[in-house]
Amino acid sequence: MSYFDVASTAPLHPVARQALTAALDEGWADPARLYRSGRQARMLLDAARETVAEVLGARADEISFTSSGTQAVQLGMLGALKGNRRRGGRLLHSAVEHSSVLHTAEQHLAEGGEVAVVPVDRLGRVDPAGYDPDERTALAVLQTANHEVGTLQPVAEVAERCREAGVPLLVDAAQSAGRLPVPGGWSLLTASAHKWGGPAGVGVLAVRKGVRYASPLPADERERGRVPGYVNVPAIVAAAASLRAVRAEAEQENARLHALVERIRTEVPRLVPEVEVVGDPARRLPHLVTFSCLYVDGEVLLTELDRAGFAVSSGSSCTSSTLTPSHVLAAMGVLTEGNVRVSLPHGTAEADVARFLDVLPGLVAGVRAPLGLDLPVAAVRQTLVIDALGKLCPLPVIELAKRIGEVAPGGTVAVLADDEAARFDIPAWCGMRAQEYLGEAPATDYGRDRGSAYLVKRVS
């Protein structure tokens, strides 16, 4: 299975696993107690807080740990609104924020507050001028990057407008924390550990010194009174360790994933007719791409992709199990049906992306077939992977002969086979059919655990 859904949750980073195991033995006690094991847990918690603060550009005493990114957003918004209630009850947020922001805004509105929604353009980006805080505005909210389409928002510009008006800005960095530097100018910042490869159940709420904040919950002595309840020290330690590790790897890995995503953005519209790639093509997260296929039920296509060995998502990570159209895509004015979001994890192999592009056109065509639509034929692809593992010759050669026409002249076919006869038969077939045999490569380059890849260039 190729897991392409880290925007929902990332696999546990190896560093997080190691740190969690160690902290379960060393940090299990109550960090608020003065006996030895409690002091030891407190030292681990303080070190984790320092690490998170350093990566996010905050002070350690500005960091509180919550039970999730959603809770961090909700507490951050409600606490800032309550702390600034003397200014007024106006809340500003973009039309494409995470559902945790929208639900908190709904509650604020139901309790008599005022909510102003800032629209986005067709790429999913806000115009900084749309954030117009006035003397009644208590809080503005903006994400660093969109969770569905990957568009980066102009946080610095919006933060400057809010600073000039004396209005706090809450920045939701759930999708970018660890991957990209945190933009400056924020008053409150939220993040979620399981998005960067930490364990689930750890969120981060940072509140700058001097920002008016009043907890919306009953008083509690933990986490500076912002978050009630016992803290999960081992999980927090693992979250901090993985955040530091991911940030250290980010520059090199971002460049690699950016190239793979660019390939998907370029190839999908060429291979699949009536498809729209959405989101900003330049100012975007390096690992995420979203496209919508006309005349296709996104959930049906996801099921077919799952059967083919790909885990992707459709629409919002929070609403894909409902029948409600994505509020993000609707706000952008783009197609909301047949939506597929691909978000690549660290270490994604180029061969996995190639295989995804190989199977996608046929799956989309299969979903559309019962409709009887006369759609244009997709452009012929440049690469093709034929999985003939487990098949005895002449079946690998037969598959090659049947499918080589799917690539354009000059394109390459990789035939994956573990039958020794393929090593001789495929080059011989190339000689007979005037095609060019390029040689042999390990099938592991294409995500398989056995066999070889026999490379053929289509000449005619």
Side-chain angles (χ1 to χ4, degrees), residues 2 14 69 115 168 187 258 307 379 423:
S2 296
V115 176
S187 305
H258 190 281
R307 290 173 179 166
R423 180 169 283 112

Side-chain angles (χ1 to χ4, degrees), residues 5 17 94 107 109 124 144 175 197 200 202 206 212 216 222 246 268 279 281 289 309 339 341 366 391 402 420 453 455:
D5 194 24
R17 189 180 301 275
S94 85
Q107 176 178 314
L109 189 63
T144 55
Q175 288 297 333
V202 179
R212 292 189 181 92
R222 297 184 188 270
V246 168
V268 168
V289 58
N339 175 248
R341 182 185 67 181
K391 297 179 180 179
K402 287 167 55 178
E420 186 66 20
L455 308 178

Side-chain angles (χ1 to χ4, degrees), residues 234-247:
I236 290 170
V237 169
S242 56
L243 178 62
R244 172 175 282 171
V246 168
R247 190 72 198 103

Side-chain angles (χ1 to χ4, degrees), residues 24-332:
L24 286 171
D25 293 331
E26 304 295 334
W28 54 269
D30 187 345
R33 302 306 172 212
L34 298 180
Y35 41 74
R36 186 172 190 175
S37 54
R39 296 197 308 271
Q40 189 167 345
R42 181 56 183 259
M43 289 175 60
L44 290 173
L45 179 61
D46 288 347
R49 202 183 307 274
E50 290 278 359
T51 296
V52 171
E54 180 184 353
V55 175
L56 298 183
R59 292 171 30 159
D61 58 359
E62 295 172 339
I63 299 291
S64 297
F65 294 108
T66 67
S67 64
S68 67
T70 292
Q71 187 189 52
V73 168
Q74 293 175 342
L75 290 178
M77 290 179 64
L78 293 175
L81 287 168
K82 183 177 179 181
N84 289 275
R85 61 187 180 277
R86 290 185 179 179
R87 279 188 61 101
R90 186 170 183 251
L91 167 67
L92 273 172
H93 69 78
S94 85
V96 294
E97 296 299 316
H98 187 266
S99 60
S100 58
V101 173
L102 304 188
H103 293 157
T104 307
E106 290 171 0
Q107 176 178 314
H108 179 63
L109 189 63
E111 293 174 351
E114 180 186 351
V115 176
V117 179
V118 182
V120 296
D121 61 19
R122 195 171 175 83
L123 298 179
R125 194 167 187 263
V126 300
D127 180 350
Y131 276 78
D132 58 342
D134 57 21
E135 67 281 355
R136 296 176 294 108
T137 304
L139 178 67
V141 180
L142 181 63
Q143 58 193 192
T144 55
N146 187 258
H147 49 292
E148 289 191 41
V149 301
T151 296
L152 298 178
Q153 298 292 0
V155 174
E157 294 92 327
V158 171
E160 179 60 23
R161 292 179 64 86
C162 291
R163 186 194 64 79
E164 291 175 353
V167 172
L169 173 66
L170 185 150
V171 173
D172 175 10
Q175 288 297 333
S176 66
R179 296 182 180 276
L180 299 173
V182 176
W186 53 268
S187 305
L188 302 98
L189 184 82
T190 62
S192 183
H194 74 103
K195 303 291 188 181
W196 67 64
V202 179
V204 177
L205 169 61
V207 181
R208 288 286 194 207
K209 285 292 182 182
V211 171
R212 292 189 181 92
Y213 183 92
S215 176
L217 300 175
D220 190 274
E221 69 275 10
R222 297 184 188 270
E223 292 303 291
R224 292 164 178 79
R226 297 178 192 141
V227 188
Y230 194 83
V231 291
N232 187 341
V233 174
I236 290 170
V237 169
S242 56
L243 178 62
R244 172 175 282 171
V246 168
R247 190 72 198 103
E249 303 161 354
E251 184 175 353
Q252 182 176 355
E253 186 66 3
N254 284 351
R256 202 179 65 81
L257 294 178
H258 190 281
L260 293 178
V261 165
E262 190 60 36
R263 181 177 177 184
I264 296 173
R265 291 185 65 91
T266 302
E267 289 288 292
V268 168
R270 194 178 63 79
L271 296 172
V272 183
E274 304 291 358
V275 68
E276 179 182 23
V277 180
V278 297
D280 196 310
R283 291 178 51 84
R284 59 176 174 82
L285 290 169
H287 67 295
L288 191 153
V289 58
T290 298
F291 55 89
S292 298
C293 304
L294 195 60
Y295 315 122
V296 169
D297 184 319
E299 300 297 324
V300 174
L301 181 55
L302 258 61
T303 299
E304 295 302 314
L305 283 165
D306 180 50
R307 290 173 179 166
F310 293 96
V312 300
S313 63
S314 178
S316 169
S317 60
C318 300
T319 60
S320 60
S321 60
T322 75
L323 296 178
T324 305
S326 159
H327 72 276
V328 171
L329 300 180
M332 293 167 60

